[in-house]
């Protein structure tokens, strides 16, 4: 009896995971495996790569990212500011906090699924942005036509969900987030960038300079 219900739970989560894999347009699994976001070695879950960040059940809703599975504890970050910027960066919203749940260096990498960290360590070195974001490109603010006009050196976004008509550079609820420049699932362009930054092409997707 116990065995059968375990099997049906497994079968059910298999279907949900399959659905997760089938929904995206990209072949996510193929591109995460072997990258720095392949944390399957520490998940102890038969080579599962998604589970360090997503779960089919009991997800954390505070992070906004679909079916999020990684704990986050920091609440106050030091924000970017400058005399020329027209935007007002806010405290990181769920989309950027999802990345920061590992990259602020305050939560163990293997603290997913409510699991107590097994001492697999905190992120370190250049990949640790820390909780001081004043030296990082601003995130978590609305990027729209009004900001482009006020700034004078920005491309006006094609829509509230993408900067460019080709939909390579997404906005999240109209906001610029870490994932506007990065795709955590795809390391084709190194540094998980949405597009190659050769010739500063990524920067010039948004900046008219
Ligand atoms: C290192 C963390 C990380 C890993 C590992 C990861 N994801 Fe994600 N995923 C994210 C983040 C962050 C977002 C939200 C930003 C976005 O949409 O790109 C997201 C969004 C998604 C979305 C919704 C938006 C979209 O792009 O379609 C799906 C579906 C998804 N992930 C599936 C998967 C699957 C399947 C795997 C395993 C093969 C996986 N992810 C592994 C971080 C991760
Ligand atoms: C579950 C933990 C986790 C989450 C969530 C996560 N990362 Fe990472 N990321 C890592 C680890 C571990 C590394 C490797 C760090 C190292 O090399 O020391 C890494 C490396 C990177 C690198 C450097 C890649 C390289 O080739 O050097 C980038 C860029 C990056 N992550 C961006 C992101 C962004 C953007 C998000 C959110 C969309 C995100 N990460 C979410 C764990 C995570
Ligand atoms: C405006 C675009 C943009 C935004 C927004 C952005 N990044 Fe990046 N990020 C880049 C680029 C470009 C690189 C590669 C830098 C290089 O080649 O030296 C990079 C590199 C990184 C690296 C690797 C650092 C290293 O030296 O190993 C990490 C980790 C990272 N980003 C995480 C994040 C996180 C987390 C966020 C959100 C808080 C974020 N990024 C927001 C453009 C961006
Ligand atoms: C997704 C769009 C996007 C991308 C890609 C992008 N930026 Fe930005 N960047 C912005 C927006 C929007 C602002 C906020 C401008 C403001 O507040 O007036 C900004 C702000 C800045 C600022 C601060 C401006 C100030 O007045 O303080 C600098 C510098 C900058 N970006 C450089 C870069 C570089 C370099 C790259 C490439 C590595 C890059 N950006 C990629 C959209 C982007």
């Amino acid at each position: 009896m116990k065995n059968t219900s375990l099997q049906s739970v497994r079968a059910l989560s298999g279907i949900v995971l399959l659905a997760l894999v089938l929904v995206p347009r990209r072949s996510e699994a193929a591109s995460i495996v072997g990258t720095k976001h392949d944390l399957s070695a520490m998940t102890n879950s038969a080579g599962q790569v998604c589970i360090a960040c997503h779960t089919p059940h009991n997800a954390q809703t505070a992070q906004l990212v679909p079916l999020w599975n990684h704990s986050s504890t920091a609440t106050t970050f030091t924000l970017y500011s400058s005399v020329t910027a027209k935007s007002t960066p806010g405290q990181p919203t769920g989309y950027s906090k999802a990345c920061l749940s590992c990259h602020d260096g305050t939560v163990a990498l293997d603290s997913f699924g409510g699991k107590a960290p097994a001492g697999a360590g905190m992120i370190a070195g250049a990949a640790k942005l820390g909780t001081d974001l004043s030296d990082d490109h601003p995130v978590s603010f609305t990027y729209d036509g009004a900001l482009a006009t006020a700034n004078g050196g920005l491309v006006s976004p094609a829509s509230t969900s993408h900067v460019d008509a080709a939909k390579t550079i997404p906005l999240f609820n109209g906001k610029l987030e870490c994932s506007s420049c990065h795709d955590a699932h795809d390391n084709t362009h190194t540094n998980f960038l949405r597009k190659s930054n050769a010739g500063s092409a990524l920067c010039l997707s948004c900046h008219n300079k």
Side-chain angles (χ1 to χ4, degrees):
M1 184 60 199
K2 191 168 172 249
N3 229 356
T4 329
S5 60
L6 198 63
Q7 270 163 4
S8 53
V9 167
R10 285 205 179 124
L12 188 66
S13 47
I15 291 166
V16 177
L17 276 177
L18 187 65
L20 263 177
V21 174
L22 290 176
V23 170
R25 293 172 303 274
R26 301 175 296 269
S27 55
E28 319 259 12
S31 37
I32 296 181
V33 172
T35 69
K36 289 190 173 175
H37 280 170
D38 179 351
L39 304 181
S40 56
M42 68 174 65
T43 60
N44 248 339
S45 313
Q48 289 189 43
V49 287
C50 313
I51 199 167
C53 293
H54 302 284
T55 176
H57 301 293
N58 300 314
Q60 307 191 6
T61 48
Q63 249 53 258
L64 302 179
V65 169
L67 300 174
W68 193 248
N69 199 33
H70 197 270
S71 314
S72 173
T73 50
T75 48
T76 311
F77 294 80
T78 307
L79 304 177
Y80 176 86
S81 72
S82 86
V83 289
T84 42
K86 302 289 186 259
S87 60
T88 319
Q91 285 297 326
T93 61
Y95 273 98
S96 290
K97 265 192 95 171
C99 309
L100 290 165
S101 72
C102 288
H103 284 279
D104 70 9
T106 68
V107 183
L109 289 171
D110 67 348
S111 185
F112 56 85
K115 185 163 131 340
M122 310 279 191
I123 221 162
K128 177 181 170 184
L129 275 65
T131 55
D132 183 351
L133 304 179
S134 63
D135 57 352
D136 298 295
H137 194 285
V139 293
S140 297
F141 59 91
T142 298
Y143 176 17
D144 58 8
L147 176 63
T149 306
N151 178 289
L154 287 171
V155 170
S156 189
S159 73
T160 54
S161 57
H162 286 89
V163 176
D164 52 337
K167 301 192 173 178
T168 314
I169 312 282
L171 297 171
F172 299 84
N173 298 323
K175 293 186 172 187
L176 190 159
E177 304 286 2
C178 311
S179 292
S180 297
C181 295
H182 295 281
D183 182 343
H185 312 103
D186 191 341
N187 202 30
T188 309
H189 305 299
T190 72
N191 277 303
F192 298 106
L193 293 177
R194 289 274 171 189
K195 68 197 273 187
S196 163
N197 200 26
S200 300
L202 174 69
C203 315
L204 294 171
S205 303
C206 300
H207 292 273
N208 274 325
K209 291 279 182 208

